Short mmCIF file of all heavy atoms in Angstrom, two decimals:
data_model
loop_
_atom_site.label_atom_id
_atom_site.label_comp_id
_atom_site.label_asym_id
_atom_site.label_seq_id
_atom_site.Cartn_x
_atom_site.Cartn_y
_atom_site.Cartn_z
N VAL A 1 29.82 10.56 10.70
CA VAL A 1 28.43 10.64 11.11
C VAL A 1 27.96 9.19 11.42
O VAL A 1 28.14 8.29 10.61
CB VAL A 1 27.47 11.24 9.99
CG1 VAL A 1 26.04 11.14 10.41
CG2 VAL A 1 27.89 12.72 9.74
N PRO A 2 27.41 8.95 12.64
CA PRO A 2 27.00 7.57 13.01
C PRO A 2 25.71 7.13 12.21
O PRO A 2 24.63 7.47 12.59
CB PRO A 2 26.74 7.66 14.51
CG PRO A 2 26.38 9.10 14.68
CD PRO A 2 27.17 9.90 13.71
N ALA A 3 25.94 6.42 11.11
CA ALA A 3 24.81 6.02 10.29
C ALA A 3 24.96 4.60 9.86
O ALA A 3 26.04 4.12 9.62
CB ALA A 3 24.76 6.97 9.01
N LYS A 4 23.82 3.91 9.82
CA LYS A 4 23.77 2.54 9.33
C LYS A 4 22.80 2.44 8.17
O LYS A 4 21.75 3.10 8.16
CB LYS A 4 23.32 1.60 10.49
CG LYS A 4 24.26 1.51 11.65
CD LYS A 4 23.78 0.53 12.70
CE LYS A 4 24.73 0.49 13.91
NZ LYS A 4 24.22 -0.48 14.97
N VAL A 5 23.18 1.62 7.23
CA VAL A 5 22.37 1.50 5.98
C VAL A 5 21.97 0.09 5.71
O VAL A 5 22.73 -0.87 5.92
CB VAL A 5 23.18 2.03 4.74
CG1 VAL A 5 22.32 1.95 3.50
CG2 VAL A 5 23.66 3.46 4.99
N ALA A 6 20.75 -0.12 5.32
CA ALA A 6 20.18 -1.38 4.92
C ALA A 6 19.28 -1.15 3.72
O ALA A 6 18.97 0.05 3.35
CB ALA A 6 19.44 -2.07 6.07
N PHE A 7 18.80 -2.19 3.09
CA PHE A 7 17.91 -2.07 1.94
C PHE A 7 17.05 -3.28 1.85
O PHE A 7 17.30 -4.38 2.41
CB PHE A 7 18.66 -1.85 0.68
CG PHE A 7 19.42 -3.05 0.19
CD1 PHE A 7 18.85 -4.02 -0.69
CD2 PHE A 7 20.73 -3.30 0.57
CE1 PHE A 7 19.51 -5.12 -1.11
CE2 PHE A 7 21.47 -4.38 0.16
CZ PHE A 7 20.85 -5.34 -0.67
N ARG A 8 15.93 -3.13 1.16
CA ARG A 8 15.08 -4.25 0.78
C ARG A 8 14.51 -4.06 -0.63
O ARG A 8 14.48 -2.90 -1.06
CB ARG A 8 13.92 -4.43 1.82
CG ARG A 8 12.86 -3.41 1.82
CD ARG A 8 11.75 -3.79 2.78
NE ARG A 8 10.57 -2.92 2.67
CZ ARG A 8 10.46 -1.79 3.43
NH1 ARG A 8 11.35 -1.44 4.26
NH2 ARG A 8 9.37 -1.04 3.27
N LEU A 9 14.10 -5.10 -1.23
CA LEU A 9 13.63 -5.01 -2.58
C LEU A 9 12.11 -5.18 -2.68
O LEU A 9 11.56 -6.04 -1.88
CB LEU A 9 14.27 -6.10 -3.49
CG LEU A 9 15.78 -6.10 -3.63
CD1 LEU A 9 16.27 -7.21 -4.48
CD2 LEU A 9 16.26 -4.77 -4.22
N GLU A 10 11.46 -4.48 -3.43
CA GLU A 10 10.02 -4.56 -3.63
C GLU A 10 9.67 -4.35 -5.11
O GLU A 10 10.43 -3.83 -5.88
CB GLU A 10 9.27 -3.54 -2.80
CG GLU A 10 9.32 -3.72 -1.30
CD GLU A 10 8.45 -2.74 -0.54
OE1 GLU A 10 7.72 -1.94 -1.21
OE2 GLU A 10 8.38 -2.82 0.66
N SER A 11 8.52 -4.83 -5.50
CA SER A 11 8.04 -4.66 -6.84
C SER A 11 7.75 -3.19 -7.11
O SER A 11 7.21 -2.49 -6.25
CB SER A 11 6.75 -5.51 -7.11
OG SER A 11 7.03 -6.84 -6.97
N SER A 12 8.10 -2.78 -8.29
CA SER A 12 7.90 -1.36 -8.69
C SER A 12 6.58 -1.23 -9.41
O SER A 12 6.05 -2.16 -10.01
CB SER A 12 9.02 -0.85 -9.56
OG SER A 12 8.76 0.40 -10.07
N LYS A 13 5.98 -0.04 -9.38
CA LYS A 13 4.81 0.24 -10.15
C LYS A 13 5.08 0.32 -11.64
O LYS A 13 4.19 0.25 -12.47
CB LYS A 13 4.17 1.52 -9.66
CG LYS A 13 3.69 1.49 -8.22
CD LYS A 13 3.04 2.76 -7.82
CE LYS A 13 2.54 2.75 -6.38
NZ LYS A 13 1.92 4.02 -5.97
N GLN A 14 6.38 0.49 -12.00
CA GLN A 14 6.81 0.54 -13.38
C GLN A 14 7.15 -0.78 -13.86
O GLN A 14 7.93 -1.55 -13.25
CB GLN A 14 7.99 1.53 -13.53
CG GLN A 14 7.70 2.92 -13.05
CD GLN A 14 8.85 3.85 -13.25
OE1 GLN A 14 9.33 3.98 -14.44
NE2 GLN A 14 9.34 4.49 -12.28
N ALA A 15 6.62 -1.19 -15.04
CA ALA A 15 6.88 -2.49 -15.59
C ALA A 15 8.37 -2.71 -15.89
O ALA A 15 9.07 -1.83 -16.40
CB ALA A 15 6.11 -2.71 -16.89
N GLY A 16 8.85 -3.88 -15.58
CA GLY A 16 10.22 -4.22 -15.83
C GLY A 16 11.24 -3.69 -14.83
O GLY A 16 12.46 -3.93 -15.01
N LEU A 17 10.82 -3.03 -13.76
CA LEU A 17 11.66 -2.46 -12.79
C LEU A 17 11.42 -3.02 -11.44
O LEU A 17 10.27 -3.50 -11.14
CB LEU A 17 11.56 -0.93 -12.75
CG LEU A 17 11.83 -0.13 -14.05
CD1 LEU A 17 11.66 1.36 -13.84
CD2 LEU A 17 13.21 -0.46 -14.60
N MET A 18 12.42 -2.89 -10.57
CA MET A 18 12.24 -3.23 -9.16
C MET A 18 12.61 -2.00 -8.33
O MET A 18 13.41 -1.17 -8.72
CB MET A 18 13.13 -4.38 -8.77
CG MET A 18 12.67 -5.76 -9.32
SD MET A 18 11.14 -6.34 -8.52
CE MET A 18 11.80 -6.83 -6.88
N THR A 19 12.02 -1.88 -7.12
CA THR A 19 12.34 -0.77 -6.24
C THR A 19 13.33 -1.22 -5.18
O THR A 19 13.10 -2.16 -4.48
CB THR A 19 11.07 -0.28 -5.59
OG1 THR A 19 10.13 0.21 -6.60
CG2 THR A 19 11.38 0.91 -4.66
N VAL A 20 14.40 -0.51 -5.08
CA VAL A 20 15.39 -0.69 -4.03
C VAL A 20 15.09 0.36 -2.94
O VAL A 20 15.25 1.55 -3.17
CB VAL A 20 16.87 -0.56 -4.56
CG1 VAL A 20 17.82 -0.78 -3.36
CG2 VAL A 20 17.12 -1.60 -5.62
N LYS A 21 14.67 -0.12 -1.80
CA LYS A 21 14.34 0.81 -0.66
C LYS A 21 15.56 0.90 0.25
O LYS A 21 15.83 0.02 1.00
CB LYS A 21 13.16 0.35 0.07
CG LYS A 21 11.84 0.40 -0.70
CD LYS A 21 10.64 -0.05 0.10
CE LYS A 21 9.32 0.30 -0.53
NZ LYS A 21 9.02 1.71 -0.45
N ALA A 22 16.28 2.00 0.10
CA ALA A 22 17.45 2.26 0.97
C ALA A 22 16.96 2.86 2.26
O ALA A 22 16.22 3.81 2.31
CB ALA A 22 18.39 3.23 0.28
N GLN A 23 17.34 2.24 3.38
CA GLN A 23 16.94 2.67 4.72
C GLN A 23 18.18 3.11 5.50
O GLN A 23 19.11 2.35 5.71
CB GLN A 23 16.24 1.55 5.45
CG GLN A 23 14.96 1.01 4.71
CD GLN A 23 14.47 -0.31 5.31
OE1 GLN A 23 15.20 -1.20 5.61
NE2 GLN A 23 13.15 -0.37 5.41
N ILE A 24 18.15 4.34 5.91
CA ILE A 24 19.29 4.93 6.63
C ILE A 24 18.96 5.31 8.03
O ILE A 24 17.88 6.04 8.29
CB ILE A 24 19.81 6.20 5.85
CG1 ILE A 24 20.12 5.85 4.42
CG2 ILE A 24 21.02 6.79 6.51
CD1 ILE A 24 20.39 7.04 3.55
#
């Protein structure tokens, strides 16, 4: 399947965590 994946990091609403935003 022709797919490309990237990601970026953002602050999470939950304390002590970060959000990894996977973009497909």
Side-chain angles (χ1 to χ4, degrees):
V1 172
K4 295 181 180 180
V5 180
F7 70 89
R8 70 174 189 269
L9 302 177
E10 292 186 1
S11 299
S12 172
K13 295 181 180 180
Q14 302 184 54
L17 302 180
M18 290 289 290
T19 299
V20 178
K21 290 181 168 287
Q23 301 169 318
I24 305 172

